[in-house]
Amino acid sequence: LIKDGAEFSDEKSLLNTFITEEELWACTLCNACAMECPVSINQPSLILDMRRYLVMEESKAPTGLNTVFSNIENNGAPWQFSPEDRMIWAEGLDVPQMSDGKNPEYLFWVGSPGAFDDRYKKVTREFVKVLNHLKVDYAVLGVEETDSGDIARRAGNEMLYQMQALMNIEVLNGYEVKNIITCDPHDFNTLKNEYPDFGGKYNVIHHTQFLQLKISGGNLKMDSDVFAGKKITFHDPCYLGRCNSEYDAPRSVLGNLSAVNIEMERNKSFALCCGAGGGQMFKEAEKGNKEVFMERTEEALKTGCDIIATACPFCMVMMTDGLKYKNKEEEVKNLDIAELISVSLG
């Protein structure tokens, strides 16, 4: 700034003067603020730019996230597992791989949580059983798959995200992949909306959308009595709902079960985030009031449900933790929609 012919600075900046680093890293990037903004300001993109500045220019990130960056760079996953262990989840199952020379109708994108998270590996296995039951023409990348880079991008490490995206796109395009199914809304959002910027254009569908298509087409017929008398409440994943406007598919699938479906007070575009997005899953929460996942679990329990249905690996971790904190894990179960369908198929 030039003032009265002399250089002037009030030594103020948006970051640190008006927005603290603590506030910046507390955001879950759930997109609720952008949806509610009356003048259509996209706050998450501004928050993301400030995170990028901190990470890329000043090498500042919470300790947990620095560990995640190193793990993705070295192991291709947010955790310290060997890339060679990516198919351990499939032991005992008949799972075709792209490297077998297949050119299937669908690529099933397993994702890092689906391959390595102990709880979500069970969901991956159940969804594969459903695919096999339906005789779907599909295959997985196996050890050729690496992290989509979604976590790196949301946490401000744009360079690492682009490295992961370009590696994956090279593999996907090499196999001439056209259709992708995934159980992870974060990977769904990244593959569908962000990979096209780098030359990766695919028809990407979430597993709830796929199941809805099969049910409406008459291909998927379930035992209608398995969940009779049970009350189910569905928690909307932010990156399926607010980010991609998909609220109907999961509810349509649940509507085909014999259970009673109850909505939480905040649902669909107004649903409260589980608290794991924006890299929160991998770092300590900032000091403050009640943690987000606890508040969301309480909202679910208020419905008097027997089952909290989720459709995202991060939501599953947070809701399961919430039930444990409330000592309700014996009374109320947290199940993915793929698990509910698998059970109803016997």
Side-chain angles (χ1 to χ4, degrees):
L1 283 168
I2 304 297
K3 188 176 181 183
D4 299 329
E7 200 171 296
F8 168 77
S9 170
D10 61 3
E11 297 184 351
K12 290 181 180 179
S13 62
L14 178 61
L15 188 57
N16 292 323
T17 305
F18 299 102
I19 298 172
T20 66
E21 289 181 24
E22 187 177 41
E23 289 170 322
L24 197 61
W25 290 115
C27 176
T28 65
L29 291 171
C30 71
N31 247 51
C33 53
M35 288 207 73
E36 291 301 305
C37 184
V39 288
S40 300
I41 294 170
N42 190 343
Q43 294 91 341
S45 67
L46 303 175
I47 290 166
L48 207 48
D49 280 341
M50 285 185 276
R51 283 186 176 184
R52 281 177 189 149
Y53 173 79
L54 282 178
V55 173
M56 308 289 287
E57 297 291 330
E58 298 194 4
S59 298
K60 282 184 178 178
T63 308
L65 293 180
N66 281 324
T67 305
V68 166
F69 297 154
S70 298
N71 287 338
I72 292 174
E73 201 168 333
N74 298 323
N75 310 314
W79 302 279
Q80 210 162 5
F81 293 108
S82 167
E84 298 302 314
D85 294 342
R86 262 197 182 264
M87 283 300 288
I88 285 178
W89 65 267
E91 283 180 1
L93 290 176
D94 179 21
V95 184
Q97 296 192 42
M98 297 294 282
S99 56
D100 298 337
K102 283 184 69 70
N103 185 20
E105 184 182 358
Y106 294 101
L107 168 77
F108 173 38
W109 180 273
V110 177
S112 294
F116 295 118
D117 180 80
D118 283 342
R119 177 64 185 90
Y120 216 70
K121 278 193 279 191
K122 295 175 183 177
V123 176
T124 308
R125 288 178 64 85
E126 295 310 310
F127 185 61
V128 160
K129 288 177 189 176
V130 174
L131 291 176
N132 290 341
H133 171 79
L134 292 168
K135 296 181 171 55
V136 175
D137 181 22
Y138 78 99
V140 300
L141 285 172
V143 295
E144 290 183 271
E145 185 180 304
T146 184
D147 194 84
S148 69
D150 164 78
I151 296 159
R153 172 167 264 197
R154 308 301 153 211
N157 196 333
E158 183 65 16
M159 185 178 75
L160 180 56
Y161 162 72
Q162 292 193 20
M163 282 169 53
Q164 292 298 120
L166 291 169
M167 278 193 294
N168 281 318
I169 289 166
E170 187 176 352
V171 173
L172 292 168
N173 289 352
Y175 281 120
E176 298 180 348
V177 169
K178 292 180 176 63
N179 303 308
I180 300 176
I181 309 170
T182 181
C183 297
D184 186 340
H186 295 261
D187 286 352
F188 166 71
N189 178 68
T190 299
L191 294 166
K192 179 174 183 257
N193 301 322
E194 298 178 350
Y195 273 28
D197 294 340
F198 301 92
K201 297 180 181 178
Y202 318 105
N203 173 35
V204 188
I205 59 173
H206 188 251
H207 74 303
T208 57
Q209 296 173 323
F210 177 79
L211 292 168
Q212 182 194 33
L213 284 171
K214 292 298 176 185
I215 291 169
S216 61
N219 301 312
L220 187 55
K221 295 187 172 90
M222 298 164 289
D223 183 342
S224 59
D225 296 328
V226 174
F227 295 104
K230 296 288 185 186
K231 295 178 185 174
I232 298 179
T233 190
F234 176 65
H235 163 74
D236 287 278
C238 299
Y239 279 74
L240 185 63
R242 275 188 290 270
C243 291
N244 286 282
S245 302
E246 182 56 87
Y247 304 107
D248 296 334
R251 288 173 171 80
S252 172
V253 174
L254 290 171
N256 282 274
L257 302 176
S258 53
V260 178
N261 291 296
I262 318 165
E263 291 285 3
M264 287 184 240
E265 190 176 339
R266 286 187 278 189
N267 59 71
K268 298 185 178 178
S269 64
F270 297 104
L272 182 66
C273 174
C274 74
Q280 300 300 323
M281 170 100 163
F282 300 94
K283 55 181 272 299
E284 292 295 322
E286 279 68 26
K287 290 176 184 174
N289 299 324
K290 187 190 300 175
E291 287 195 45
V292 179
F293 77 96
M294 288 295 293
E295 189 165 338
R296 189 55 169 167
T297 305
E298 286 172 7
E299 286 186 4
L301 292 173
K302 271 183 194 172
T303 66
C305 64
D306 301 298
I307 297 167
I308 301 173
T310 49
C312 168
F314 298 143
C315 294
M316 174 159 271
V317 169
M318 303 310 271
M319 301 307 282
T320 301
D321 283 354
L323 290 172
K324 286 177 183 173
Y325 273 92
K326 291 287 178 183
N327 293 316
K328 292 285 187 181
E329 68 266 39
E330 295 300 321
E331 302 164 47
V332 180
K333 300 300 177 189
N334 177 202
L335 297 170
D336 190 275
I337 287 178
E339 292 179 305
L340 292 167
I341 297 301
S342 181
V343 169
S344 70
L345 290 169

